[in-house]
Amino acid sequence: MKIRPLGDRVVIKRLEAEETTKSGIVLPGAAKEKPQMAEVVAVGPGGYVDGKEIKMELKAGDRIFFSKYSGTEVKLDGEEYLILKQDDVLGIVEE
Amino acid sequence: MKIRPLGDRVVIKRLEAEETTKSGIVLPGAAKEKPQMAEVVAVGPGGYVDGKEIKMELKAGDRIFFSKYSGTEVKLDGEEYLILKQDDVLGIVEE
Amino acid sequence: MKIRPLGDRVVIKRLEAEETTKSGIVLPGAAKEKPQMAEVVAVGPGGYVDGKEIKMELKAGDRIFFSKYSGTEVKLDGEEYLILKQDDVLGIVEE
Amino acid sequence: MKIRPLGDRVVIKRLEAEETTKSGIVLPGAAKEKPQMAEVVAVGPGGYVDGKEIKMELKAGDRIFFSKYSGTEVKLDGEEYLILKQDDVLGIVEE
Amino acid sequence: MKIRPLGDRVVIKRLEAEETTKSGIVLPGAAKEKPQMAEVVAVGPGGYVDGKEIKMELKAGDRIFFSKYSGTEVKLDGEEYLILKQDDVLGIVEE
Amino acid sequence: MKIRPLGDRVVIKRLEAEETTKSGIVLPGAAKEKPQMAEVVAVGPGGYVDGKEIKMELKAGDRIFFSKYSGTEVKLDGEEYLILKQDDVLGIVEE
Amino acid sequence: MKIRPLGDRVVIKRLEAEETTKSGIVLPGAAKEKPQMAEVVAVGPGGYVDGKEIKMELKAGDRIFFSKYSGTEVKLDGEEYLILKQDDVLGIVEE
């Protein structure tokens, strides 16, 4: 099963951060904030949303930063996803 | 009796989640959050809503995810439904 | 006396719910929530409201569901009515 | 002296409610809510208000219901009036 | 020195209310609410404000009622004025 | 160094108020509210801001009143400035 | 790795303030507010955002002041950045 997002929404999946403090100590899960980096899983069709034309700039596979507290968490087949509006995506991470 | 939604609204019915924890234990009803997956029961005609043209993307029978805290619960013939705006529907679940 | 609603407003009258629990026990008045089903009593002319053209979809006699906490209660000749905007009407109940 | 309301505003005067409970007991002033029925005293010219054209539907002498908590109370020559926007008028009471 | 208001703003000066209770007793200053009647001192040019064309309806010398809590108090040459948007002026007092 | 404001913003510098009470006593700094009179230091180019065309009415050197709590304080070369939108400027003080 | 901001967003990096009080004492880190001056690292493409055309006025390397509490902090390769909308940039610092 997969989720087909409506309008200007995208489905993303959080990336596990292997975060290391400056002193080199790896923080255990509980001490970490939820990561704000994610991978795009599915992209809505865009088009007219709330009377305004929205062009989708993202594609599946993009690694992105997204706004804290944005979106709705959903679970499908035991996996957790986040569905949010493209406007809550801040930027794309590039190599 | 049935409900004919107005404008850009849809009537949905929550799907019972047979949720299982990772360890395989089935959670009893009281320990579960209300499911956010639902089946579309009826779809409004769309058209001009609040001065903007809305095209309906959903049809009866679609299985969807919807925004937490959105919509209004109503009861008809002993059955519980939720009426919400199409914009509160996040995505369609596909096989 | 009667109320002629302005713009995109409608006058409705709550329907008494003869609500029965699943076990068949009829709840006394005090234990029930106020019903959200109502009958339309009068419909405004619509037209341009707040700069947007609104077409009225309702007619007197329609049985409807409406949004919780919407509208203003008024009393006329000892009867209680609720005046709300058509957009606060969720759907029409049909046989 | 009189008040000439600007834009889409109207000046109204509350009508004293001779409210009677179902059992026929007349409630003294302190036990009553402020009445929401009023008589229109003066009507603004309408026209473009906040960039939208507003047509005035009311005329002096109309008896109306208005939204709770709307408008501003003013006093002129010892009389109390309420100045509110036409959109806060819910409907006209007709014989 | 004088204040030339920008856009759709007006400069007003509160009128001292010689308010008398119904029983004929004159209330001392501390027991009175701040008066909501004022005289217009200066009127902005109007024109396009926030993308909407605003036509000024007021002129210096008009006596007006204004919205409670609206505007900003300023002091110039020891005199107190209030600068507010024309839309916060409720109506003009006429003889 | 200087600040070039973007869009419809202006940079202003508070004017020290030599405020005197009615009885002629000069209030020490701590007892005074922050003055709301300021001198315009720099003016943005205006143009389309949030989809609306804004024409700048102010020029460097204007003495103005501005809205309480508006704008952001910044410090440059040890001097304090306030950057705010032209719409938060209430009026120009003229001789 | 770098961040490519979407729409009207910019990526900035706070500039370390070597702030000195008037008496010449350098404040240690903990006693300083976070600086509001930053350097622009990357600029989005602009274009139609929320139905309005936005033209980007900033370029990488600009030193700017930005609105307190605006934007979202992100971390990439151990460096902290702030992603905000161009409209939260107050002005450009020039020599």
Side-chain angles (χ1 to χ4, degrees):
Chain A
M1 290 198 290
K2 60 180 198 178
I3 308 168
R4 178 160 59 87
L6 288 183
D8 59 342
R9 286 194 174 87
V10 294
V11 181
I12 65 176
K13 191 160 170 47
R14 280 201 170 86
L15 292 171
E16 284 308 313
E18 280 140 325
E19 189 158 334
T20 309
T21 64
K22 280 190 172 171
S23 58
I25 298 163
V26 178
L27 293 168
K32 286 187 292 188
E33 288 194 8
K34 280 194 169 180
Q36 278 176 265
M37 210 191 286
E39 189 176 323
V40 176
V41 173
V43 179
Y48 282 86
V49 176
D50 198 36
K52 296 158 202 151
E53 191 176 3
I54 308 285
K55 197 174 141 246
M56 301 309 284
E57 312 283 349
L58 297 166
K59 59 178 191 302
D62 282 347
R63 283 195 305 159
I64 58 156
F65 281 110
F66 59 96
S67 268
K68 253 183 261 196
Y69 314 121
S70 66
T72 302
E73 297 199 354
V74 300
K75 199 182 271 193
L76 191 66
D77 294 338
E79 295 279 328
E80 281 188 5
Y81 300 95
L82 201 59
I83 307 180
L84 35 65
K85 297 207 156 227
Q86 176 173 270
D87 192 48
D88 290 319
V89 175
L90 304 169
I92 300 177
V93 180
E94 300 186 320
E95 300 298 320
Chain B
M1 289 198 294
K2 60 179 199 178
I3 308 167
R4 178 159 60 86
L6 289 183
D8 59 341
R9 286 192 175 88
V10 294
V11 181
I12 65 175
K13 190 160 170 50
R14 280 200 171 87
L15 292 171
E16 285 308 312
E18 280 141 325
E19 189 158 334
T20 309
T21 64
K22 281 191 171 170
S23 58
I25 299 164
V26 177
L27 293 168
K32 286 187 291 190
E33 287 195 9
K34 281 194 169 180
Q36 276 176 267
M37 210 192 285
E39 189 177 322
V40 176
V41 173
V43 179
Y48 282 86
V49 176
D50 197 36
K52 295 158 203 152
E53 191 176 3
I54 308 286
K55 197 173 141 248
M56 301 309 285
E57 312 283 348
L58 296 167
K59 61 178 189 303
D62 281 347
R63 283 196 304 160
I64 59 157
F65 281 110
F66 59 96
S67 267
K68 252 183 260 195
Y69 314 121
S70 66
T72 302
E73 296 199 355
V74 301
K75 198 182 272 193
L76 191 66
D77 294 338
E79 294 279 328
E80 280 188 6
Y81 300 95
L82 200 60
I83 307 180
L84 36 66
K85 298 206 156 227
Q86 176 172 269
D87 192 48
D88 290 320
V89 175
L90 305 169
I92 301 176
V93 180
E94 300 187 321
E95 301 298 321
Chain C
M1 288 198 293
K2 59 179 200 178
I3 308 167
R4 178 160 60 85
L6 289 183
D8 59 341
R9 286 194 174 87
V10 294
V11 181
I12 64 175
K13 191 160 170 50
R14 280 200 171 88
L15 292 171
E16 284 309 310
E18 280 142 324
E19 188 158 335
T20 309
T21 64
K22 281 192 172 171
S23 57
I25 298 164
V26 177
L27 292 169
K32 288 187 292 189
E33 287 195 10
K34 282 195 168 180
Q36 276 177 266
M37 210 193 285
E39 189 178 323
V40 175
V41 173
V43 178
Y48 282 87
V49 176
D50 198 35
K52 295 158 201 151
E53 192 177 3
I54 308 285
K55 197 174 142 248
M56 301 309 284
E57 311 283 348
L58 297 167
K59 60 178 189 302
D62 281 348
R63 284 196 304 160
I64 59 158
F65 281 111
F66 59 96
S67 267
K68 251 182 262 194
Y69 314 121
S70 65
T72 302
E73 297 199 353
V74 300
K75 198 182 272 193
L76 191 66
D77 294 337
E79 294 278 330
E80 279 188 5
Y81 300 94
L82 201 58
I83 306 180
L84 35 66
K85 299 207 155 224
Q86 176 173 268
D87 192 48
D88 290 319
V89 175
L90 305 169
I92 301 177
V93 180
E94 300 187 321
E95 301 298 321
Chain D
M1 288 199 292
K2 59 179 200 176
I3 308 168
R4 177 160 59 86
L6 289 183
D8 59 342
R9 286 194 174 87
V10 293
V11 181
I12 65 175
K13 191 161 171 48
R14 280 201 170 87
L15 292 171
E16 283 309 310
E18 280 142 323
E19 189 159 334
T20 309
T21 64
K22 280 191 173 172
S23 58
I25 299 164
V26 177
L27 292 169
K32 288 186 292 189
E33 287 194 8
K34 282 195 167 180
Q36 277 176 267
M37 210 192 286
E39 189 177 322
V40 176
V41 173
V43 178
Y48 282 88
V49 176
D50 198 34
K52 296 159 201 151
E53 192 176 5
I54 308 284
K55 197 174 141 247
M56 301 308 285
E57 312 283 348
L58 296 166
K59 60 178 188 303
D62 281 347
R63 283 196 303 161
I64 59 156
F65 281 110
F66 60 95
S67 266
K68 252 183 261 196
Y69 314 121
S70 65
T72 301
E73 297 200 353
V74 300
K75 199 182 273 193
L76 191 66
D77 294 339
E79 295 278 331
E80 281 188 4
Y81 300 95
L82 202 58
I83 306 180
L84 35 66
K85 298 208 156 224
Q86 176 172 270
D87 192 48
D88 290 320
V89 175
L90 305 170
I92 301 177
V93 181
E94 301 186 319
E95 301 297 319
Chain E
M1 289 199 293
K2 59 181 200 176
I3 307 167
R4 177 160 59 88
L6 289 184
D8 59 342
R9 286 194 174 87
V10 293
V11 182
I12 65 176
K13 191 162 171 47
R14 280 200 170 88
L15 292 171
E16 283 309 311
E18 280 142 323
E19 188 159 334
T20 309
T21 64
K22 280 191 173 171
S23 59
I25 299 164
V26 177
L27 292 169
K32 288 185 293 189
E33 287 195 6
K34 281 194 169 180
Q36 276 176 268
M37 210 191 285
E39 188 176 322
V40 176
V41 172
V43 178
Y48 282 87
V49 176
D50 198 34
K52 296 160 201 151
E53 191 176 5
I54 307 285
K55 196 174 142 246
M56 301 309 284
E57 312 284 347
L58 296 166
K59 61 178 189 302
D62 281 347
R63 283 196 304 159
I64 59 156
F65 281 109
F66 60 95
S67 267
K68 251 183 261 196
Y69 315 120
S70 66
T72 301
E73 297 199 355
V74 301
K75 199 183 271 193
L76 190 66
D77 293 340
E79 295 278 329
E80 280 188 5
Y81 300 95
L82 201 58
I83 306 180
L84 35 66
K85 299 209 156 224
Q86 177 173 269
D87 191 48
D88 290 319
V89 175
L90 305 169
I92 300 176
V93 180
E94 300 187 320
E95 301 298 320
Chain F
M1 289 198 291
K2 59 181 199 176
I3 308 167
R4 178 159 60 87
L6 290 184
D8 59 342
R9 286 193 174 87
V10 294
V11 181
I12 65 176
K13 190 161 172 46
R14 281 200 170 87
L15 293 171
E16 283 309 313
E18 281 141 324
E19 189 160 335
T20 309
T21 65
K22 280 191 175 173
S23 57
I25 298 163
V26 177
L27 292 169
K32 288 185 291 189
E33 287 194 7
K34 281 193 168 179
Q36 276 176 269
M37 209 190 288
E39 188 176 322
V40 175
V41 172
V43 179
Y48 282 88
V49 176
D50 198 34
K52 296 160 202 150
E53 192 176 2
I54 308 285
K55 196 174 142 245
M56 302 309 284
E57 312 283 347
L58 296 166
K59 60 178 190 301
D62 281 346
R63 284 195 305 159
I64 58 157
F65 282 110
F66 59 97
S67 267
K68 250 183 261 195
Y69 314 121
S70 66
T72 301
E73 296 199 356
V74 300
K75 199 182 271 194
L76 191 66
D77 295 337
E79 295 278 328
E80 280 188 6
Y81 300 95
L82 201 59
I83 306 180
L84 34 65
K85 298 210 156 223
Q86 177 173 267
D87 191 48
D88 289 319
V89 175
L90 305 169
I92 302 176
V93 180
E94 300 187 320
E95 301 298 320
Chain G
M1 289 197 292
K2 60 181 197 177
I3 308 167
R4 178 160 58 87
L6 289 183
D8 59 342
R9 286 194 174 86
V10 294
V11 181
I12 65 176
K13 190 160 171 46
R14 281 200 170 87
L15 292 171
E16 283 309 313
E18 280 141 325
E19 190 160 333
T20 309
T21 64
K22 280 191 173 172
S23 58
I25 298 163
V26 178
L27 293 168
K32 287 186 292 188
E33 287 194 8
K34 281 193 168 180
Q36 277 176 266
M37 210 191 287
E39 189 176 322
V40 175
V41 172
V43 179
Y48 282 86
V49 176
D50 199 34
K52 296 160 202 150
E53 191 176 2
I54 308 284
K55 196 175 143 245
M56 301 309 284
E57 312 283 349
L58 296 167
K59 59 178 192 301
D62 281 346
R63 284 195 304 160
I64 59 157
F65 282 111
F66 60 96
S67 268
K68 251 182 262 198
Y69 315 120
S70 66
T72 301
E73 297 199 355
V74 301
K75 200 181 271 192
L76 191 67
D77 295 338
E79 295 279 328
E80 280 188 6
Y81 299 95
L82 201 59
I83 307 180
L84 34 66
K85 298 208 157 226
Q86 176 173 269
D87 191 49
D88 290 319
V89 175
L90 305 169
I92 301 176
V93 180
E94 300 186 321
E95 300 298 320

